[in-house]
Structures are given as C-alpha cells and as structure tokens.
Amino acid sequence: MDIPLVEERPFRYRIDRRDPMRVPGVVFATPELLPQATGDKALEQVVNVATLPGIVRASFAMPDVHWGYGFPIGGVAATDVDAGGVISPGGVGFDISCGVRLLAAGIDREPLAPKMRRLMDILGDTIPRGMGRGGLWKLSGPAQMEDLLVGGAGYAVEHGHGVPRDLDRCEDRGALPGADPSHVGRRAVERGLEQVGSLGSGNHFLEVQAVDRVYDEDTAARFGLHDGQVCVMIHCGSRGLGHQVCGDHVRVMDQSLRAYGIRLPDRQLACAPVVSPPGRDYLGAMAAAANYGRANRQLLAEAARRAFATAAGAGLDLVYDVSHNTAKIETHEVDGARRSLCVHRKGATLALPPGHPDLPRDLAGAGQPVLVPGTMGTASYVMTGTAGNDAFASACHGAGRVWSRHQALRRVRGEQLRDDLESHGIAVRPSSWRGLAEEAPGAYKDIDAVARATEGAGLARPVARLVPLGVVKG
DNA sequence: ATGTCC
C-alpha cells in the first residue's frame, strides 16, 4: 500500500485523514529518511495508529521511524483519557521503559587513552549481558521485587547502588508513579529476579564515548559536558520482566476488545480505554516494569563507576536518564483546552523545553537532555528540548533500523566488524558474533541526518556530539 | 526487545 504524503514544510510531512483514521498522520523526516524509501511498513502503521479511539492531534512519526509491533518504532500517539481514549501495550513496546542513561566522566579522552585497554577489560568482565544470564543484583524474592517495582532507581540508591544526586537527573526522579506490582504476573517477577543490572541483547550496549563537538557551550556546561570529555552511555530496558508484562496484557486486551466495542485494523494494536479495568491494570503494571528498567540502568551505572574508579581514578556524574518506551498520563493543551492525555512514546524520547515544571531546577533554563544513541561505529547526540514541539514534547530516540536483522546477518560477519571497529580505534567487547553483526552500523539510518531532521522539524536541538571509544555490546 | 515457540 502506497501512503500519500503531503510536504507541509521541510522536515514535516502530512498523511491526510481518511476513514477510518480519526486524525491525520505527521511524519518528521527528509526524503532520504522516509521509511517508504527503505521498504518497510512503518507509514501504514502510522495510519493504523490514527484510527485508535480517543487519539488527538495526529499520529506522529519521528525521523528515526521504522516498522515495529503494531505501532511503528519512533511513533507518538496521545489519547484523551476523558473521551474514551485508549492505552495500548503495543504503543509502548515489548521493552517497557527501554531508555538511555548518560554519565560524564571526570577525565578527558587524552589522559584516558593509556588506560582504555584496562578499562574496557574490566567493563567487559563485569557488565552482565546477552540473552538470559544473570544480573548484578540478585533479589531475595518477590517481596523485595515489589519494593523495587515501586521505588525504581530510588530503591536501588536506598540500597547503596548510587548517590541521591543521581535521582535529581532521572526522568520522574527515577520512578514512574502509579506502579502496581499486583498486576505484574508471577512469571514476569520470576524472570526479573535475577536480571537486575544486566544489558540484555539486541541494540543494548554500554559505551565509553568522548565529546567531539559542542554546538551550545552554555547548555553543554549546564549538562556537565565539555569538548574532549569522556562519557558513558548505557542503553537497556526492563529485560524479561517488561517483555512478560507486555505479552500478558496484550493477551488480556485482545480478549476485551469486543466488550469495549473497539475495532482495529491490526490486532497488534490491542488496547483498552485508559479508564477501564484492563487499561488501569496495564498502566499499573507498565509503571512497575518501567521502574524495573530504571533500577536496571542505575545498577549498570554503578558498575561503570567501579570500573572507572579502578582503571582511571575518575568519577562519573549522571547527566540524565530518560526512557523512550513509555505511556504517561500528561496534561497538554489541545484545541485550546487543557486535556489529560495518555501519551504513548514508542522509540521516542520525552523532550521537555526550557521552563517546564517537571525539569530539575538546575536544568530549568537549559531544557531536558534528549539522549540519542547512534550505532557502535558512529556518533551519538545529546540534544535538548525546545518550545513549540507539537508532538507532545517528543523527539527521536536513535538512528532507526533500515536493514532487518536477517538482512544484516547476510551482509555482515561479526568478526570482520570487530576488526573494522578496532582498526578505527573503537574497542569492542561483544556478547556474541551474531548479535554484533545484527547491530552493524550499516543496518541503521545516518544518525547525523536524523539529528539534523530532528532539529529542522523543531523537535529538539543539538547540544553535543559524542563519538565511541569502546563498546560493551549486549 | 525476548529463557528469539509453553
């Protein structure tokens, strides 16, 4: 199916509403970044999402949009809670609260260079990763899990895994409110007990990076960043626990569609009204899984701190921790009225503008750090939220896949990729050759083009560009 | 993304 696009202005395309769409689609992109050019079905998914009950303004797609489960990855959809608006697990994603944490090291790349080998060896030996496997913090049982699911990163800090200042630099201070562990199933809890503090696999990683360009000195300084500085970027989520929560609630909602009179073009959009038992149950379970993901990143950051202390005698200050797979109840102005919305961001990053009340005080003038990981061979970006973002304060979350994992495996060999990266001065500590090949830089869109489009579309603006020095791959 | 099919 060919989706007609109207170029409203550079970096912004509209898909006109036609039945059964309730709102138009809006795709932020350049011609090169449009998924039609890359042969995936993401634009059909943008259209499908536009049919959801209660959706307002538009079904949005970020410049890194690509095909996903039901909703596109890089999609943003807000539904009106008080007008029959729905919540859909597919609009959050299987990896609930998957997100990025950036830490700024008290060392620059030149003095770190002679110590990099040892640092990477320690990280490679101590960061749990890969399918299954264990985590850094084995919980005592379901009772302790319940506390972690409510407390998130703060619960980890209370138990000595980090410092209180970390929470100042976490979205929602490290815990999404409304977590209800009673709707996290037994199997989800079991899967999660031994995975707190682990990367997982796929596109997850821990990278040592360096700032190679600063676009805005003042904002970078407020974020604690300067040219040449070493950073650590962590990308991971809620592991088997979040996956199980998503699957469990998709099944329930799929069975309740008829009862709520919801008709969908794709069963993967399974949903329920926010104000319904299945809707509320999922939101409570999703918040709990989100808090698991946030605690997970807190534990991994602590492991990175230990490695830096040992190998480099340097500390790591948290710049920010932000999720890009969530649904949050937020207040936004729509058609001149303040409305309570359920904002689904799936592969899309919250991007609060300067002055937003949810920002920590010392970032009020700078805006929220928007963390945009590239690939292991290319740059990553630190951006900041801007005023006038009509996609409910959302921005891109990464480069966005263009090759399927299968295509990547046909084109790339893991050992060869490792050699290529090492020859470019990037140290690699893989978890599997196959996993490495699937995540080859060529499998992704051009991150610099994605960042330019994100800025051009008025979603966020660049603050600093980071380049990889070493990657610990999930 | 995911004990890559309970």
Side-chain angles (χ1 to χ4, degrees), chain A residues 100-104 153 157 163-175 218-225 294 297-298 301 305 316-323 358-371 382:
Chain A
V100 184
R101 170 175 289 226
L102 183 72
L103 301 113
V157 170
V163 294
R165 190 262 177 199
D166 292 341
L167 303 177
D168 298 337
R169 290 304 181 94
C170 290
E171 179 187 8
D172 311 311
R173 292 193 58 79
D218 183 54
T219 303
R222 286 169 189 258
F223 289 175
L225 298 172
R294 287 144 189 229
R297 288 194 288 276
Q298 183 68 33
R305 282 173 168 154
L316 292 171
D317 288 334
L318 185 54
V319 173
Y320 210 68
D321 181 301
V322 64
S323 304
D358 292 349
L359 287 170
R361 192 162 301 162
D362 62 332
L363 295 182
Q368 178 217 301
V370 177
L371 307 177
V382 179

Side-chain angles (χ1 to χ4, degrees), chain A residues 17-336:
Chain A
R17 193 202 72 78
R18 64 172 186 214
D19 291 340
M21 296 166 72
R22 295 168 192 261
V23 291
V26 170
V27 183
F28 301 106
T30 60
E32 295 73 27
L33 291 170
L34 281 170
Q36 272 185 165
T38 63
D40 81 17
K41 309 258 191 220
L43 295 186
E44 291 177 33
Q45 296 188 312
V46 172
V47 169
N48 291 344
V49 169
T51 70
L52 288 176
I55 188 169
V56 296
R57 194 173 290 165
S59 167
F60 291 99
M62 301 294 120
D64 51 332
V65 69
H66 59 109
W67 178 86
Y69 177 88
F71 287 59
I73 296 163
V76 175
T79 61
D80 190 328
V81 173
D82 303 311
V86 293
I87 169 85
S88 173
V92 173
F94 269 83
D95 193 5
I96 295 166
S97 199
C98 182
V100 184
R101 170 175 289 226
L102 183 72
L103 301 113
I107 189 169
D108 286 358
R109 69 186 292 177
E110 283 195 21
L112 181 67
K115 301 166 178 174
M116 263 300 281
R117 176 71 184 258
R118 177 149 183 253
L119 174 64
M120 291 306 298
D121 284 343
I122 294 173
L123 289 169
D125 288 344
T126 57
I127 299 296
R129 57 196 189 278
M131 282 290 287
R133 319 270 175 93
L136 292 160
W137 188 14
K138 184 170 160 42
L139 301 184
S140 59
Q144 187 176 26
M145 175 64 86
E146 211 165 290
D147 293 339
L148 181 138
L149 294 178
V150 173
Y155 182 75
V157 170
E158 282 171 26
H159 285 256
H161 305 294
V163 294
R165 190 262 177 199
D166 292 341
L167 303 177
D168 298 337
R169 290 304 181 94
C170 290
E171 179 187 8
D172 311 311
R173 292 193 58 79
L176 197 55
D180 186 350
S182 74
H183 291 108
V184 176
R186 266 179 54 184
R187 186 175 292 172
V189 170
E190 279 168 23
R191 290 178 70 173
L193 282 173
E194 296 188 7
Q195 293 185 323
V196 187
S198 64
L199 282 178
S201 59
N203 61 0
H204 292 163
F205 63 79
L206 183 152
E207 275 186 19
V208 179
Q209 305 173 333
V211 178
D212 93 321
R213 188 166 169 194
V214 171
Y215 301 90
D216 174 348
E217 292 277 355
D218 183 54
T219 303
R222 286 169 189 258
F223 289 175
L225 298 172
H226 62 258
D227 195 23
Q229 179 171 23
V230 170
C231 296
V232 171
M233 182 176 279
I234 297 167
H235 177 211
C236 64
S238 51
R239 304 296 330 274
L241 183 141
H243 187 270
Q244 190 72 42
V245 165
C246 180
D248 289 349
H249 287 261
V250 163
R251 200 176 320 113
V252 170
M253 288 189 181
D254 184 67
Q255 289 164 1
S256 73
L257 289 171
R258 289 173 65 91
Y260 294 107
I262 297 171
R263 294 168 59 88
L264 298 171
D266 178 354
R267 282 179 75 175
Q268 293 185 353
L269 299 172
C271 58
V274 175
V275 285
S276 70
R280 276 194 299 265
D281 293 352
Y282 171 68
L283 267 173
M286 184 217 65
N291 294 340
Y292 184 94
R294 287 144 189 229
N296 189 24
R297 288 194 288 276
Q298 183 68 33
L299 267 290
L300 290 162
E302 282 298 285
R305 282 173 168 154
R306 288 192 291 275
F308 266 73
T310 303
L316 292 171
D317 288 334
L318 185 54
V319 173
Y320 210 68
D321 181 301
V322 64
S323 304
H324 48 231
N325 279 10
T326 57
K328 299 175 86 170
I329 307 300
E330 301 172 359
T331 304
H332 292 269
E333 191 172 313
V334 180
D335 299 330

